[in-house]
Amino acid sequence: MSMRSDENDKRNALRQRIIGLGERSFRKSYYPALQERMLELERFRALLDHARDAIVVVELPSGTIVDVNHSACKQLDYSRDELLGQPFEGLWTSEVEELLQRLTGGESEFPDPTTVETHLSIKDGRRVPVEVTLRRADFHERHYAVAVARDITERKKADQALIESEERYRLLAENSLTGIFIQQDGRFSYLNNRLAAMLGYRSDELMGKGFRDLVVEEDMPVIDKAGCAVCSGDRVPLHNEIRVRCKDRSIRWVDLLATTIVFRGRTAEMGNVADISDRKNLEEQLQQAAKMEAIGKLAGGVAHDFNNLLTAMLGYSALLLQQLEGEEEKRNKLMQVIHAGERAAELTRQLLAFSRKQVLSIKVIDLNSVIWHLEKMLRRIIGEHVELITSLDPALHNIEADPAQIEQILMNLVVNARDAMPDGGTIAIETSNSLLDNEHAQSSSELTPGPHVVIAVSDTGLGMDSQTVSRIFDPFFTTKEKGMGTGLGLATVYGIIKQHRGHVSVISGIGQGSTFQIYFPAVDIASDDEREVPPAQRRTLGSETILVVEDEDLVRKLVCEVLQQFGYCTLEAGGPEEAISLSETFDGVIHAMVTDVVMPGMDGRRLFERIATSRPHMKVLYISGHTENSIVRRGVLDGSVHFLHKPFTAERLGGKVREILDASSPE
């Protein structure tokens, strides 16, 4: 027994020695490599768990989850044990599941890796937007899919905020009341619909163009200045008013506010464009009104004294002319003096007409009737080489106007049309009715919506360019040769039209003739067909007593001398107080009073009212060189009074006195 026991002990000791030798050999040969592998796996696991993105490893083709990292557990709100061994179905959208199935099939054309945006289903039922990158991994003849999911919730919020911001700015830009553009390298990179519509284009028609393509040549230096500012990087805003040419070739004024910006990484110009054409038109009307007002003040300031002097010059010259019968040489020289005085008087009248201070005698007239009566004279004026055509609307409305001033308008326009056709041509005068709406009425401050009468004077002459058209109504502006015109003809036309609350527009082009369209407010009142009796047909002689009140000695003595030659008895008064005294002390009948309107201490109207209390049958004729007084308001004569504007001729004075005396004679 002891021998068998010793043998067993020896056998066990040998076995242990052999085992020990094996372990030492294993540890020496294999353990270091295994230990290094284990460390590598631990590092890999640490990297996975510390990754911010969720990582899920799926075995193919079963679709079973075989590994997840810490971020995946956190994003999905599941523990690692809950996810391992579970099918991937339910965590992804059908799009990702389809991709996994395609990976399982090993499609050779399938892009590896593949990235898609999808949603992950969270444990509590929520869905989180993620960006998933899928790629296939093969290991020891086993197939896997590695899914890396990045939470893009914040990015989606930022994208949505950007979309909403862009939408807000787009709405602001597209619904702006002004045009907006961005320009790079002299070409539009962006412009809103408002700018395109302002210029008469579609937005796509302007892309590829630049602001230089739209600006009129005269305003190009402004755009060049803006371009220099962009090149230098100047961020100071440029603010200018410029003219642009629209698609239909019309010109509009715009207010341009431009600055330098960075757009898509490069320097650009951003501009804001407002249409100010209406404002510019109003400014031009205001400037024109101010200019007329200045000339009117100048004309009115000198009119009284100047007209008094002209009245004396022309009156005494006419009286002297009557005394020079048979002395032709002296008569001819005196006629030159009279002609010069008449030209001076006409010049004053033209200035007053332009400044809207000409005295008007308003009546309800038929414009067609005025043209009919004037047509024969117009044909004589234009000559045989020019044809005159009239086309008059038989249903034309009446207007309130001074017939003599309407004739003046037609004469001036026809003469200008004739001068524009040196080789002959055609002048057409047309009348028509027109109903102006609010939009058309806004083209002039004098126009109001409603029915109007339109008279158009057209010619087939040389025509005018736009610059000439813009100045034709300016006083003293003329395109005629020196000595051929004063430059007041069309200025007179303009003033008369405006004084009648009318409007004139001009359409012309070089070689295309010209058309003047004049608008007058229509009235629904029957016309007064009574025409003024020509001075030559008036009876001027009389024997009545006339009180002459005039503070200007020259005029007073002239009036008295003229009336005395016509047979009247005259009483002279150098002012209101003297006239009142004469009326109180004179025992006879004073049939009429001829009085200046503007005098020191008391005007003519108040003087007449004062004397008329004791002499109720006395009539009155007012004379004046002023255009604004108690008799004439805004250039329009009070229809209830008799008025004679200075300067006047002896025949006109005698005829007017006879007219008021006959009107007041008892039956």
Side-chain angles (χ1 to χ4, degrees):
M1 289 294 292
S2 59
M3 290 181 64
R4 188 179 294 270
S5 176
D6 290 339
E7 288 178 0
N8 287 337
D9 291 341
K10 289 178 181 180
R11 195 179 290 113
N12 289 334
L14 180 61
R15 187 183 296 113
Q16 291 297 325
R17 184 179 178 185
I18 292 172
I19 292 173
L21 289 172
E23 287 179 354
R24 284 195 299 271
S25 177
F26 174 79
R27 288 177 181 176
K28 183 177 180 180
S29 303
Y30 298 105
Y31 184 75
L34 180 60
Q35 189 177 33
E36 183 63 29
R37 181 63 176 166
M38 292 298 293
L39 289 174
E40 184 179 345
L41 290 174
E42 289 177 5
R43 285 196 299 270
F44 177 70
R45 169 55 60 187
L47 287 173
L48 287 179
D49 286 337
H50 285 83
R52 294 181 60 184
D53 297 333
I55 300 175
V56 179
V57 181
V58 180
E59 187 178 23
L60 300 177
S62 65
T64 303
I65 298 173
V66 297
D67 202 354
V68 293
N69 69 345
H70 177 71
S71 293
C73 297
K74 185 177 179 181
Q75 281 190 23
L76 296 170
D77 199 22
Y78 286 96
S79 67
R80 189 167 184 272
D81 292 338
E82 289 177 312
L83 291 172
L84 293 179
Q86 299 298 320
F88 67 84
E89 295 179 2
L91 291 180
W92 321 93
T93 61
S94 57
E95 182 181 12
V96 176
E97 294 176 6
E98 180 182 348
L99 290 174
L100 286 172
Q101 291 173 1
R102 293 174 66 184
L103 280 174
T104 302
E107 295 183 20
S108 59
E109 297 181 358
F110 189 82
D112 188 9
T114 297
T115 301
V116 295
E117 288 188 5
T118 182
H119 290 83
L120 286 178
S121 297
I122 309 303
K123 187 176 183 179
D124 60 7
R126 290 182 296 112
R127 290 166 62 82
V128 176
V130 292
E131 182 181 77
V132 178
T133 299
L134 291 172
R135 75 179 309 159
R136 181 166 173 157
D138 297 332
F139 184 71
H140 290 298
E141 298 182 356
R142 301 184 70 176
H143 307 299
Y144 302 92
V146 179
V148 180
R150 175 168 294 178
D151 189 337
I152 57 173
T153 301
E154 295 303 321
R155 195 185 81 185
K156 282 290 187 181
K157 289 181 179 179
D159 289 345
Q160 184 61 32
L162 179 61
I163 292 172
E164 292 176 357
S165 176
E166 290 177 345
E167 179 68 11
R168 284 195 299 271
Y169 283 113
R170 187 190 67 79
L171 290 173
L172 284 173
E174 292 302 327
N175 292 281
S176 172
L177 297 178
T178 59
I180 298 173
F181 71 88
I182 297 175
Q183 183 172 264
Q184 284 179 314
D185 301 325
R187 293 291 177 263
F188 291 127
S189 298
Y190 167 80
L191 73 155
N192 65 351
N193 291 329
R194 176 70 66 177
L195 178 59
M198 186 187 304
L199 301 172
Y201 290 91
R202 298 191 314 271
S203 297
D204 61 301
E205 291 178 314
L206 286 174
M207 297 306 292
K209 296 181 180 291
F211 223 79
R212 288 180 61 90
D213 300 319
L214 304 172
V215 178
V216 300
E217 185 176 354
E218 294 83 355
D219 294 342
M220 195 63 70
V222 176
I223 301 303
D224 292 338
K225 181 180 178 182
C228 292
V230 171
C231 293
S232 63
D234 189 359
R235 295 297 183 95
V236 178
L238 297 176
H239 190 193
N240 292 280
E241 294 178 355
I242 59 176
R243 289 162 293 176
V244 294
R245 197 176 300 279
C246 301
K247 185 178 181 180
D248 61 3
R249 310 306 297 168
S250 64
I251 294 176
R252 301 195 71 81
W253 275 97
V254 298
D255 184 290
L256 172 63
L257 180 62
T259 189
T260 304
I261 64 169
V262 175
F263 181 66
R264 294 174 180 169
R266 295 194 299 119
T267 301
E269 298 168 82
M270 185 179 75
N272 191 283
V273 183
D275 188 340
I276 58 171
S277 299
D278 292 339
R279 194 196 80 192
K280 277 293 184 179
N281 289 335
L282 290 175
E283 286 178 358
E284 289 178 6
Q285 292 180 29
L286 181 60
Q287 291 172 359
Q288 186 74 7
K291 183 165 53 179
M292 289 192 301
E293 185 67 22
I295 296 176
K297 286 181 178 179
L298 174 63
V302 301
H304 185 237
D305 291 337
F306 193 53
N307 285 333
N308 279 337
L309 295 174
L310 286 174
T311 300
M313 289 168 57
L314 292 173
Y316 280 114
S317 296
L319 292 177
L320 184 59
L321 191 65
Q322 296 175 6
Q323 300 173 12
L324 295 177
E325 293 292 341
E327 301 184 44
E328 292 304 318
E329 184 177 353
K330 292 182 179 179
R331 284 177 62 87
N332 289 337
K333 292 180 179 179
L334 188 57
M335 283 299 299
Q336 295 301 317
V337 175
I338 293 175
H339 289 328
E342 289 174 344
R343 288 182 61 187
E346 178 62 24
L347 181 63
T348 304
R349 281 193 292 270
Q350 287 180 324
L351 286 172
L352 291 173
F354 170 75
S355 60
R356 311 188 201 184
K357 293 183 180 293
Q358 179 72 294
V359 177
L360 301 181
S361 181
I362 299 297
K363 300 177 181 178
V364 178
I365 64 169
D366 176 5
L367 192 56
N368 286 343
S369 178
V370 174
I371 297 172
W372 287 330
H373 285 91
L374 195 62
E375 186 174 353
K376 186 178 294 184
M377 181 186 297
L378 293 176
R379 293 186 186 278
R380 288 199 303 268
I381 291 173
I382 61 178
E384 296 181 355
H385 69 298
V386 176
E387 181 183 7
L388 177 64
I389 301 174
T390 59
S391 177
L392 310 181
D393 187 346
L396 196 69
H397 298 315
N398 293 328
I399 63 172
E400 288 184 315
D402 184 332
Q405 298 302 316
I406 298 300
E407 291 178 355
Q408 182 73 36
I409 292 173
L410 291 169
M411 291 278 286
N412 281 330
L413 291 180
V414 168
V415 167
N416 273 278
R418 177 203 65 189
D419 294 343
M421 300 182 293
D423 299 325
T426 302
I427 299 175
I429 301 177
E430 302 176 69
T431 60
S432 61
N433 295 316
S434 178
L435 184 63
L436 296 185
D437 55 22
N438 289 324
E439 181 179 354
H440 287 87
Q442 289 175 357
S443 62
S444 172
S445 58
E446 284 81 5
L447 286 177
T448 55
H452 282 70
V453 170
V454 183
I455 176 170
V457 179
S458 306
D459 65 66
T460 58
L462 302 174
M464 300 173 285
D465 57 27
S466 58
Q467 186 174 4
T468 302
V469 170
S470 68
R471 296 191 60 195
I472 55 173
F473 296 120
D474 288 355
F476 308 113
F477 174 77
T478 179
T479 57
K480 299 178 181 178
E481 297 179 3
K482 186 176 181 180
M484 297 299 292
T486 63
L488 282 172
L490 290 178
T492 300
V493 168
Y494 182 87
I496 294 173
I497 292 171
K498 294 300 181 181
Q499 197 171 6
H500 281 81
R501 297 180 295 113
H503 174 70
V504 57
S505 62
V506 184
I507 303 172
S508 187
I510 298 297
Q512 300 178 2
S514 302
T515 299
F516 289 76
Q517 292 181 320
I518 305 168
Y519 294 78
F520 292 115
V523 295
D524 189 16
I525 307 174
S527 64
D528 181 2
D529 292 327
E530 294 181 1
R531 300 188 63 82
E532 187 177 359
V533 179
Q537 299 178 17
R538 293 181 182 144
R539 185 167 68 91
T540 57
L541 300 178
S543 59
E544 291 88 345
T545 299
I546 310 296
L547 173 59
V548 179
V549 187
E550 169 64 64
D551 61 322
E552 182 65 45
D553 291 343
L554 282 173
V555 178
R556 185 178 68 254
K557 293 184 181 301
L558 172 67
V559 170
C560 289
E561 189 170 346
V562 169
L563 291 177
Q564 288 168 9
Q565 284 198 353
F566 288 139
Y568 297 101
C569 298
T570 60
L571 302 174
E572 289 187 52
E577 294 299 328
E578 189 177 351
I580 293 171
S581 177
L582 270 174
S583 175
E584 292 174 348
T585 58
F586 185 71
D587 293 334
V589 177
I590 300 178
H591 297 86
M593 178 173 69
V594 177
T595 179
D596 193 10
V597 178
V598 180
M599 295 180 292
M602 184 182 299
D603 64 46
R605 188 160 200 163
R606 288 174 56 200
L607 173 62
F608 171 69
E609 292 170 352
R610 170 78 175 272
I611 296 178
T613 57
S614 57
R615 295 182 180 272
H617 298 292
M618 183 182 71
K619 302 303 175 184
V620 63
L621 172 63
Y622 297 104
I623 60 175
S624 180
H626 278 294
T627 58
E628 291 292 339
N629 50 53
S630 60
I631 306 301
V632 182
R633 295 295 185 188
R634 301 183 183 275
V636 179
L637 181 65
D638 185 341
S640 64
V641 300
H642 295 280
F643 179 80
L644 194 59
H645 195 271
K646 300 175 184 177
F648 46 77
T649 63
E651 288 77 10
R652 186 159 177 78
L653 172 62
K656 197 68 175 177
V657 169
R658 188 70 261 164
E659 178 186 335
I660 65 172
L661 288 172
D662 289 346
S664 63
S665 299
E667 297 180 356

